[in-house]
Amino acid sequence: MRRLRAAIVGGTGYGGMELLRYLLDHPSVDVTAITSRTEKGSVGEVHPHLRGLTDLQFTAGKAVDLARENDVVFFAAPHGVAAKEVAAVLAASPTVRVVDLSGDFRLKDAGLYPTAYGWPHPAPDGLAAAAYGLPECGGRAAVTAPGCRLVANPGCHASATILSLWPLARAGLLSARAHVVSVTGSSGSGAEPKKGTHHPERFSNFKAYKPLEHQHVFEIEQTLRAAGAGEPRVAFVPCSGPFSRGIATMAVVEVGAGREEAAKEAFRAAYGREPFVRFVPDAPEVRAVAGTNFVDVGVTAKDGAVCATVAIDNLGKGMAGTAVQNMNLLFGLPETAGLRRAGAGL
Ligand SMILES: NC(=O)c1ccc[n+]([C@@H]2O[C@H](COP(=O)([O-])OP(=O)(O)OC[C@H]3O[C@@H](n4cnc5c(N)ncnc54)[C@H](OP(=O)(O)O)[C@@H]3O)[C@@H](O)[C@H]2O)c1
């Protein structure tokens, strides 16, 4: 098979940066273009850890033009950009495929966008055709379905939360409300400095934000519903942690006395053969997954309650790692190509 040509929209941000880091090591992909509206120089000037590994220069190229010259276009731009541009990108070439890292195509119900993202969806007809791409939780089938050309890459908190609940939903053990606390590092807010992400504000600090009202609840419930959970109820409390990379998610569900072993078995059955899921004996830690596409999962059960803890890298399995996994699935490449690597460990 010939090498794939890939373009990245939004290359100065953390998602574009991390996509490029993975794709530079990919055995079957060449990145031909990486865009910025603000930078014109070499990629290494903005992302110094990539110096010497690529000669790419930022380009102001439009996504619709990149579509004609590439097999895949990744959108790593803020919410609201892909929603306006993807239809033209897909129309520009009959073969190009799109992986969108934003929330623009994640929700099937267009009516939820004003509540979740604050605007009516500008291209609601595109929502049905988009595959929600969390491969381990039903996404593999959606992305590899014939004719799939648009993948909605899941949100970072959503990825970790769905991974912590999906086996229970699938096994019919999610009839009670799930109580979820999910702690993210500061890179989850993107590269643009803001008060809430400024180092003196984040370092040595800890707080919840948007308790019970985070926009990811919609995609979490949509995915759990599709897994067979009926009308799932997820009390979701996101938190900001004093670290840069990583998400640690703790989900507690009452499954009922006598069902503890069935709950543990549900996780083994769902993830036992997944190449990026690693079971840990107690509870996982973010450091072990930083810089990787791995999902570390710990499951404990006692007195009718199950606690599933999940650690991912928000920039890896929570974003760029899954995006590359989805690209591999879209093009029939080995699913793990370019993705099996150890993190730095410290
Ligand atoms: N950070 C995470 O952990 C995470 C996880 C999952 C999903 N996501 C989602 O992934 C997307 C990217 O996140 P991020 O953290 O990488 O954001 P980011 O660091 O803020 O980067 C955004 C990028 O988009 C570019 N951009 C901004 N407006 C644009 C426009 N109108 N057209 C084209 N490019 C534009 C910016 O570059 P220029 O200003 O140089 O053009 C920048 O390169 C977002 O939708 C985010 O919600 C983020």
Side-chain angles (χ1 to χ4, degrees):
M1 189 179 165
R2 72 172 175 82
R3 295 175 68 76
L4 294 180
R5 292 167 62 84
I8 298 171
V9 176
T12 54
Y14 291 151
M17 169 193 87
E18 192 72 346
L19 271 170
L20 184 59
R21 188 174 75 90
Y22 279 112
L23 292 174
L24 287 175
D25 280 348
H26 197 289
S28 310
V29 178
D30 294 318
V31 178
T32 68
I34 182 161
T35 77
S36 169
R37 301 161 311 153
T38 56
E39 295 286 341
K40 292 185 175 56
S42 72
V43 163
E45 280 169 29
V46 174
H47 304 309
H49 60 301
L50 300 179
R51 269 190 201 130
L53 298 172
T54 174
D55 297 329
L56 279 169
Q57 307 270 321
F58 288 107
T59 160
K62 295 269 172 253
V64 68
D65 298 322
L66 299 173
R68 297 191 189 95
E69 296 154 15
N70 289 280
D71 300 293
V72 57
V73 176
F74 291 94
F75 274 88
H79 303 310
V81 175
K84 295 194 196 103
E85 298 189 17
V86 159
V89 166
L90 293 175
S93 156
T95 54
V96 75
R97 289 159 206 194
V98 171
V99 180
D100 175 31
L101 274 53
S102 81
D104 290 10
F105 290 94
R106 292 182 196 150
L107 304 178
K108 293 295 172 202
D109 180 354
L112 293 175
Y113 274 86
T115 312
Y117 292 99
W119 33 264
H121 202 287
D125 293 348
L127 295 174
Y132 185 80
L134 188 56
E136 294 78 3
C137 301
R140 188 175 288 116
V143 173
T144 56
C148 177
R149 294 180 64 206
L150 171 60
V151 176
N153 220 59
C156 48
H157 276 304
S159 298
T161 302
I162 294 166
L163 282 156
S164 72
L165 295 173
W166 192 77
L168 298 177
R170 207 176 67 135
L173 293 167
L174 194 57
S175 46
R177 189 190 300 274
H179 297 265
V180 181
V181 174
S182 188
V183 186
T184 183
S186 52
S187 62
S189 305
E192 193 178 326
K194 301 175 204 101
K195 181 166 163 45
T197 56
H198 196 38
H199 181 76
E201 306 275 341
R202 286 294 297 244
F203 172 71
S204 190
N205 198 2
F206 188 96
K207 63 174 183 181
Y209 63 100
K210 297 187 186 172
L212 307 183
E213 297 196 339
H214 194 275
Q215 67 274 15
H216 285 184
V217 169
F218 296 103
E219 63 187 271
I220 293 166
E221 292 183 344
Q222 172 181 278
T223 309
L224 297 174
R225 201 175 295 122
E231 275 310 313
R233 292 168 298 151
V234 179
F236 179 69
V237 182
C239 301
S240 298
F243 46 90
S244 172
R245 271 181 193 258
I247 291 185
T249 300
M250 287 70 64
V252 178
V253 181
E254 286 284 343
V255 294
R259 292 185 169 157
E260 296 89 344
E261 277 313 308
K264 288 184 176 178
E265 180 51 33
F267 280 85
R268 284 191 288 268
Y271 298 148
R273 296 167 70 85
E274 286 295 339
F276 294 111
V277 178
R278 305 186 297 196
F279 285 104
V280 303
D282 194 357
E285 52 186 305
V286 289
R287 183 178 289 173
V289 293
T292 81
N293 192 46
F294 285 114
V295 185
D296 284 2
V297 179
V299 185
T300 47
K302 193 176 175 186
D303 297 339
V306 175
C307 177
T309 52
V310 164
I312 61 171
D313 182 340
N314 56 300
L315 302 181
K317 172 47 75 187
M319 180 164 57
T322 290
V324 173
Q325 197 176 342
N326 282 322
M327 177 201 70
N328 289 339
L329 289 166
L330 275 173
F331 289 93
L333 298 170
E335 189 170 332
T336 57
L339 288 170
R340 275 191 76 82
R341 64 176 72 198
L346 284 176

